Amino acid sequence: MSSHHIVRDDQEPALIIANGASCSSELMGQLLEWSPLVIVLDSAIERVLPLGIKVDVLLGDFDNGLDIEYYKALQFPLEIVYAPDQEKTDLEKAFDYLVEKGHKAVNVIWATGRRADHTITNMTNIVRFQDKLKIVILDDHSKIFQLPKRYEKWYPKGFPISIIPVGTVHGITSTNLDYLLHDETLTMGYRTGSSNHAAQDGIVTIEHKEGDLLLMECFD
């Protein structure tokens, strides 16, 4: 796996590698190619090192006894960010770091799969940063991001789309989906918009009036 290219910090999204299920080398390579900054959570560093990736920031609470000096020498230059706050996940701390450094967007991999509680938390916590950081979570099967109040994008007929409310979301209206929504309400755990599809080749629009709504583009 080659190291990432050098680009302006405000030009392309940073990349965070968490500690869920790994993704394909193809997906990782695509994201690394233009990422200005690679952050690895401390729990994932032993899985990342054999891939030959140049890591810029190693972040976490380091409660697993890592030899920091070893990694600093191996990945020089490497910034070590000690983040001991037990009220936040390490992924949230990485988002905080990026906001503090002025980054506007980030892609996240290895944030889904393995433990289900981590997957759910990682997906839903992105809404807390909606005014600060554009966050996209990717794996080999899906791409997850928060929707603005009005969203539109061209999709081919039959493309799988899931609309996921975080809490309760009101006033949802959609076009060009198999299952249309007309000023309706979705609530996590009661009624969601999973496993929908683009009805025809063309623009899909999704609007909502109140609440936080995620979109999952599915690839299988």
Side-chain angles (χ1 to χ4, degrees):
M1 183 72 66
S2 61
S3 62
H4 52 95
H5 291 198
I6 299 175
V7 294
R8 295 202 320 270
D9 284 356
D10 60 352
Q11 184 178 9
E12 298 290 344
L15 179 65
I16 296 174
I17 304 177
N19 195 33
S22 58
C23 65
S24 66
S25 58
E26 289 79 11
L27 174 58
M28 181 177 284
Q30 291 169 13
L31 298 174
L32 282 170
E33 185 173 6
W34 298 108
S35 177
L37 184 78
V38 175
I39 301 175
V40 175
L41 304 188
D42 64 345
S43 56
I45 188 64
E46 289 294 337
R47 298 170 58 203
V48 170
L49 285 180
L51 302 178
I53 296 170
K54 175 63 185 81
V55 179
D56 298 302
V57 178
L58 179 60
L59 180 147
D61 54 19
F62 302 107
D63 58 358
N64 47 7
L66 292 179
D67 184 347
I68 301 301
E69 295 305 316
Y70 168 76
Y71 296 111
K72 287 174 68 174
L74 195 64
Q75 286 279 333
F76 182 85
L78 175 66
E79 181 180 358
I80 303 297
V81 178
Y82 176 56
D85 187 353
Q86 295 301 309
E87 297 299 317
K88 296 182 178 181
T89 67
D90 282 350
L91 184 56
E92 289 176 274
K93 298 170 194 175
F95 293 153
D96 285 337
Y97 171 88
L98 289 172
V99 170
E100 181 181 335
K101 295 296 184 179
H103 289 263
K104 302 301 182 184
V106 61
N107 293 318
V108 185
I109 55 175
W110 296 18
T112 59
R114 301 181 79 173
R115 283 183 52 171
D117 57 340
H118 289 175
T119 297
I120 294 170
T121 299
N122 291 341
M123 286 174 50
T124 56
N125 275 357
I126 67 176
V127 304
R128 298 169 59 181
F129 295 86
Q130 58 188 286
D131 298 323
K132 302 175 182 178
L133 193 63
K134 181 180 179 181
I135 301 169
V136 178
I137 296 177
L138 303 105
D139 58 34
D140 292 332
H141 309 285
S142 57
K143 176 181 178 181
I144 306 160
F145 52 94
Q146 185 170 4
L147 291 180
K149 286 295 189 285
R150 176 178 173 83
Y151 171 82
E152 59 178 42
K153 180 179 175 179
W154 190 96
Y155 289 99
K157 180 180 179 179
F159 189 93
I161 293 172
S162 288
I163 303 171
I164 305 169
V166 179
T168 297
V169 181
H170 299 289
I172 306 170
T173 299
S174 64
T175 66
N176 193 27
L177 292 177
D178 284 343
Y179 305 102
L180 293 174
L181 296 166
H182 302 281
D183 197 23
E184 297 182 48
T185 296
L186 297 179
T187 301
M188 176 70 80
Y190 292 90
R191 185 191 180 202
T192 63
S194 64
S195 298
N196 213 328
H197 300 83
Q200 301 292 335
D201 289 353
I203 297 292
V204 169
T205 63
I206 303 169
E207 298 181 76
H208 67 286
K209 297 176 181 176
E210 182 182 348
D212 298 314
L213 201 59
L214 304 181
L215 186 72
M216 179 182 291
E217 297 178 345
C218 305
F219 307 124
D220 63 359

